[in-house]
Amino acid sequence: MATEAPPTEQLQPPTSNLESIPPVITETELDGILPLTARGKVRDIYEVDAKTLLFVATDRISAYDVVMKNGIPNKGTLLTLLSAHWLNLLIAAHPTLKTHFLTLSLPPSIPQSLQHQFLHRSMQVRKYKIFPVEAIVRGYITGSAWKEYKSHGTVHGIPVEPGLRECDKFPGGPLYTPSTKAEQGMHDENIHPDKAISLVGPAYAPQIATLALSLYATAHDYALSKGLIIADTKFEFGVDLTTTPPSIILVDEVLTPDSSRFWPLNKYEPGRPQDSFDKQYLRDWLVGEGLGGKEGVEMPGWVAEKTGGKYREAFERLTGKTVGEFIGEAAKKGE
């Protein structure tokens, strides 16, 4: 999902002590104990058995489809635990919802000497066939949607009423605006919902659209109660072919700063770019330095710290807990 936007705040080094930043894990290694099946922009994926995968969220961060040389401290932990929080909330609100999530516990085959790479940033999940689209839901017009609207009056080819300002809420309600899923290093392509039918099939396309819109509505209302606006987000879905009829499954990360735009409700003002709790700070720095889309870029420590602070604040606002408190409560529940 394209998330480019002009700078919204002055970029300068913060004054906190950078020596207090914890170690960064940008790559994991299991010495062949479990086979590595994929290494994406953020995740390392291992095969636990024929039906189970281990999703590991590293501290890697990408912008403009390029992975930075260095990472964001604790980013992987924040993404994993926030996804777990959202999955619990969404399942409670939608009792028939099926997800790939199994547990935050590590497989017993991982020895204690290697567990520090994986603790609190990993989840075991079921394997499913994944649909080749990203199910993006947009509640507000921003980013690539705003660019298209200014030029053509459409969003993903969908006509939208004239006269909207940047970051306005869509007057007719959220839009389902899918995109293709590109290989690493390539760009996703925004597509019309009709195009998604040809990619996932007429039996599944309406179910995916309806479920994505429903999950967004639940998440948007919850976030508002925490003082945040979810401007847009992307979901990914798979299919369980062992059920009759086949079941749509929610997969991958859910409603994190990597997959969503979070705006502070008390600062929301249509007609301009919004402050955000995501990687926008990094994007602004890259653009300012003329480094957007360039390979081999290393962030200064203060940019990594500031970006990490945005992720951490989003986590704490949405969960009402610090990471340490969240881990402590999960341990008591045996999760």
Side-chain angles (χ1 to χ4, degrees):
M1 177 175 57
T3 50
E4 58 275 11
T8 59
E9 60 179 289
Q10 185 177 3
L11 298 177
Q12 58 185 4
T15 57
S16 59
N17 181 8
L18 297 180
E19 294 179 358
S20 65
I21 296 178
V24 177
I25 294 180
T26 57
E27 191 168 293
T28 60
E29 179 55 60
L30 269 177
D31 299 333
I33 295 169
L34 295 176
L36 178 71
T37 63
R39 204 185 293 278
K41 292 176 183 175
V42 174
R43 281 166 186 75
D44 292 349
I45 301 176
Y46 296 88
E47 184 179 79
V48 178
D49 57 42
K51 296 181 178 180
T52 312
L53 298 172
L54 182 68
F55 272 30
V56 186
T58 71
D59 296 327
R60 297 193 293 268
I61 189 168
S62 66
Y64 301 110
D65 294 313
V66 175
V67 178
M68 302 295 105
K69 285 182 67 175
N70 51 337
I72 304 295
N74 277 331
K75 175 175 174 281
T77 298
L78 292 166
L79 294 183
T80 298
L81 299 184
L82 185 56
S83 285
H85 173 76
W86 278 116
L87 288 171
N88 286 332
L89 187 150
L90 293 173
I91 290 170
H94 303 265
T96 61
L97 176 66
K98 296 183 178 182
T99 81
H100 70 162
F101 177 76
L102 291 170
T103 179
L104 293 175
S105 300
L106 296 180
S109 56
I110 299 180
Q112 188 171 0
S113 61
L114 297 178
Q115 288 184 6
H116 67 279
Q117 302 175 70
F118 302 92
L119 281 173
H120 312 311
R121 62 174 68 244
S122 306
M123 60 172 64
Q124 293 189 66
V125 302
R126 298 178 186 87
K127 277 188 188 179
Y128 291 108
K129 178 183 178 181
I130 307 302
F131 290 111
V133 296
E134 295 192 337
I136 300 168
V137 180
R138 302 179 187 271
Y140 301 75
I141 188 162
T142 187
S144 62
W146 173 241
K147 288 186 175 180
E148 179 185 336
Y149 176 77
K150 287 192 296 181
S151 299
H152 306 290
T154 59
V155 173
H156 288 236
I158 303 167
V160 176
E161 68 180 67
L164 296 185
R165 299 164 296 174
E166 183 175 9
C167 299
D168 263 335
K169 193 173 186 177
F170 285 110
L175 299 181
Y176 172 65
T177 57
S179 76
T180 60
K181 289 181 63 174
E183 297 294 327
Q184 186 168 344
M186 305 296 288
H187 294 278
D188 297 339
E189 178 189 352
N190 291 345
I191 58 175
H192 190 280
D194 289 348
K195 174 68 173 177
I197 296 174
S198 66
L199 295 176
V200 305
Y204 299 123
Q207 296 182 65
I208 291 171
T210 298
L211 182 53
L213 287 165
S214 180
L215 296 178
Y216 172 82
T218 297
H220 182 267
D221 289 348
Y222 173 83
L224 282 181
S225 75
K226 302 296 183 180
L228 292 179
I229 293 170
I230 303 178
D232 52 34
T233 194
K234 75 172 180 69
F235 298 105
E236 296 194 33
F237 295 98
V239 60
D240 183 353
L241 297 172
T242 67
T243 64
T244 305
S247 304
I248 303 296
I249 310 294
L250 178 63
V251 302
D252 204 51
E253 67 176 343
V254 181
L255 294 155
T256 72
D258 266 11
S259 64
S260 316
R261 282 189 181 89
F262 298 114
W263 296 337
L265 178 60
N266 63 348
K267 294 183 179 179
Y268 174 59
E269 183 182 337
R272 63 168 178 82
Q274 309 298 306
D275 293 337
S276 58
F277 295 95
D278 54 26
K279 63 179 78 171
Q280 192 60 50
Y281 194 89
L282 169 60
R283 294 192 197 96
D284 293 346
W285 176 79
L286 289 168
V287 170
E289 297 294 320
L291 298 173
K294 295 187 181 296
E295 299 279 354
V297 174
E298 182 168 349
M299 299 172 285
W302 59 270
V303 172
E305 183 193 16
K306 184 69 174 181
T307 303
K310 298 285 189 180
Y311 279 67
R312 186 168 56 253
E313 185 173 354
F315 178 92
E316 292 177 359
R317 285 199 185 200
L318 289 166
T319 66
K321 304 177 182 71
T322 65
V323 170
E325 290 168 344
F326 190 100
I327 291 172
E329 289 191 11
K332 289 179 182 178
K333 297 176 183 177
E335 295 180 354

